[in-house]
Amino acid sequence: MPGHSGGVHTCGFSIILDPDFRNAKCIVVWGLGVDTSFRAIFRKPILEALSEGAKLIVIDPVKTPLAERADIWMQIRPATDCALALGMLHVIINEDLYSRDFVEDWTVGFDELKKHVQEYSPREVAEITWVPEEKIVDAARMYAKNSPACIGTGVGGLCQNVNVFQANRAIAILASITNNLDVPGGQVNHPLVLREKSSMSAQYDAPFGDLTQEQIQKRLSIGNVVKYDGFQNAHPGSVWPAIREGKPYPVKAMLGIATNSVITKENSKHVRDTLTKLDFFVVSDLFMTPTAEIADIVLPVAHWSERDEVIDAYTKNYIFCHRKIVDPPGECWEDKEILIALAKKMGMEGYFTSVEECLNDRLRRVKITFEEFREKGMIESPIAYKKHEKFGVFKTMTKKVELYSEALKEIGSDPLPVFREPPESPVGNPEIAKKYPLILITGMKTLNYFHSSFRNVASLRKLMPDPLLEIHLDTAKERGIRDGDWVKIETLRGSIKHRAKLSERVDQRVVAAPHGWWYGYRDGWKEVNINVLTEGRIHDPDMGSGVLKGLLCQVSKADSPPVEITAP
Ligand SMILES: Nc1nc2c(c(=O)[nH]1)N[C@H]1C(S)=C(S)[C@@H](COP(=O)(O)OP(=O)(O)OC[C@H]3O[C@@H](n4cnc5c(=O)[nH]c(N)nc54)[C@H](O)[C@@H]3O)O[C@H]1N2
Ligand SMILES: Nc1nc2c(c(=O)[nH]1)N[C@H]1C(S)=C(S)[C@@H](COP(=O)(O)OP(=O)(O)OC[C@H]3O[C@@H](n4cnc5c(=O)[nH]c(N)nc54)[C@H](O)[C@@H]3O)O[C@H]1N2
Ligand SMILES: [Mo]
């Protein structure tokens, strides 16, 4: 959401939905897992563009396989991405590398921006980000001089900390002033095929369409922009106080669908304790997870191979028909069916009466039924570029790209992107850093696991049997840690155990952990689960994002390994 909103509040569309890597002359991969997380959709177009000579810039604290191939790899200090983007803007503006025509015709606030970025000289930004000054300058020049250029951003440094909305704004501004908006090889603004019925519809939908403003303002959420835009999302950080203290009003019951919150939300001990305080907690899942375990009722759910679906997430200009292959076993129902039955039982009116009706509704815009879609398999819509020229507007308040945003200022946010130190950092918290000198990033992905899922699948588990903390050779040596040793990772919130994976892919001051571990260990949810260590009370002031990347920690040799169990 910070990625989508950063674009929407700059140029009126989400610049992350359709990065056209294939036709780019310069590709920037910014905190995005092309080798792992987004391999299926982004790796091929990127490799093809590279084989035709496109330049590659990778911004990642870890030397990923793609970073190995980069013309410029910037090993950034975690959670300082906003400063880096502002430093690149400094170079591009001061060296006159931006598109004058585009800035004159299509933007507001350039003078303010120009003045603002003077505070972020490459030298100062190098100090903040640990990226050498020359690299910042070279990368800015490379990006601005090789048009069209395309930036791909992920959740890496750009969604899971407290400066992320502004970081994404700064990146959207980079793309704007270099004239890379809605051009082939740039950030394409392709309307989602299903528009407001799309699963990625944040930029179009009015989720509370028929509610009054007063009612909308009552929903639990965190962040100026979230409150203003009216997203559906209620952040955990706003729901937990409602459950625990009844603030601003009590939440007594919860329905958890496809969520393993005890493992995947920040500060697991707090999350688990909070969920047990609910009067009534229902979870629908395929497996008995640490979250399902504390529910009053567990609804066994149908697997995706056992249901029909319209697939449209991250699918650019097409949608796919996902066909059910087998019937669900025993008492398993699919989620849609459960929701429809619940609504009916609760006496709600005006909702779907069948799964088919629901699927047909999603397809209304493309004017076919799910039965017809089943035959067709896929629907593609044509791509059009530079729609701002055709329609004469960007979809913002001023109808221009808002480099300086009066609208944001009005809701109490920074009108120009400002860098803020993460809440835990060696710079901002030197006292804490004495005890916890290393910076922890979490959520490193492998192809075989999806978040907290699949550790119970033997063939997948074989590929990565234990949670591995990537730690620099020298950092490990100082601590008497050898490759494969069990280590204790500790933050202000608690400690857990992982195995050390010695590496030179990370800086001596940074360690990188996966997330989602619990299965197969006694009390796995607190012994090996990384979210025992993460921070759940501090949020991005605009988006409410929590802190999953860039925390302070200490690593030492563990006294004993976690106790393995043969799970039921
Ligand atoms: N196999 C697999 N694929 C998945 C998932 C999965 O669990 N398993 N999950 C899916 C989901 S829901 C999501 S949201 C996506 C997430 O996928 P991405 O958006 O790609 O995010 P991550 O994989 O968390 O991190 C991407 C890169 O960011 C780097 N990074 C970490 N901290 C920082 C930082 O502070 N700054 C910068 N610039 N980079 C940083 C990491 O080293 C990593 O290489 O993946 C999706 N794909
Ligand atoms: N520390 C740290 N924490 C993170 C992250 C990180 O990078 N670092 N990444 C975050 C991100 S980006 C995300 S998206 C979240 C993901 O966190 P969660 O949303 O909790 O995701 P999962 O662990 O993939 O899945 C939860 C459950 O859904 C079940 N499930 C699978 N299919 C279905 C279905 O069709 N119906 C139902 N009802 N259940 C089903 C699975 O069995 C699993 O137990 O984790 C976040 N947590
Ligand atoms: Mo995610």
Side-chain angles (χ1 to χ4, degrees), residues 31 33 37 59-62 78-79 81 154-157 445-446 449-451 549:
S37 309
I59 303 166
D60 200 304
V62 179
D81 300 81
V155 308
K445 312 280 188 304
T446 43
Y449 297 135
F450 194 81
H451 300 294
K549 266 99 178 168

Side-chain angles (χ1 to χ4, degrees), residues 1-3 5-6 158-166 168 219-229 231 233-241 265-266 411 413 420 423 535-548:
M1 297 316 297
S5 293
L158 296 170
C159 290
Q160 300 178 335
N161 211 300
V162 301
N163 194 203
V164 291
F165 173 75
Q166 297 296 344
N168 282 288
R219 76 207 192 286
L220 300 173
S221 63
I222 303 173
N224 300 332
V225 174
V226 172
K227 291 204 162 92
Y228 175 77
D229 283 356
F231 295 166
N233 311 50
H235 303 74
S238 64
V239 178
W240 305 154
K265 308 258 186 285
E266 304 93 316
I411 60 171
S413 295
R420 276 180 236 106
E535 167 60 66
R537 289 161 311 171
I538 304 176
H539 303 95
D540 181 291
D542 301 312
M543 290 304 298
S545 317
V547 187
L548 297 174

Side-chain angles (χ1 to χ4, degrees), residues 86 111-120 416-419:
L86 287 160
D111 294 339
E112 288 93 335
L113 174 70
K114 182 170 182 173
K115 191 158 159 248
H116 177 66
V117 298
Q118 300 314 314
E119 290 169 38
Y120 298 90
L416 286 161
V418 175
F419 167 69

Side-chain angles (χ1 to χ4, degrees), residues 348-390:
M348 295 170 127
E349 275 173 36
Y351 294 88
F352 308 115
T353 56
S354 71
V355 168
E356 194 184 0
E357 204 181 296
C358 164
L359 291 168
N360 287 341
D361 185 69
R362 289 202 64 204
L363 292 167
R364 205 152 50 175
R365 177 169 257 282
V366 286
K367 298 191 174 69
I368 62 168
T369 64
F370 191 82
E371 268 323 297
E372 290 159 349
F373 193 35
R374 200 190 285 281
E375 290 302 309
K376 242 180 137 92
M378 171 183 168
I379 294 176
E380 191 175 358
S381 64
I383 298 183
Y385 300 102
K386 292 208 178 182
K387 289 174 286 295
H388 50 282
E389 288 186 354
K390 184 171 170 209

Side-chain angles (χ1 to χ4, degrees), residues 27 44 63 117 152 257 304 509:
I27 292 169
K44 188 161 175 267
K63 193 167 194 185
V117 298
I257 305 171
W304 52 257
R509 298 160 285 185

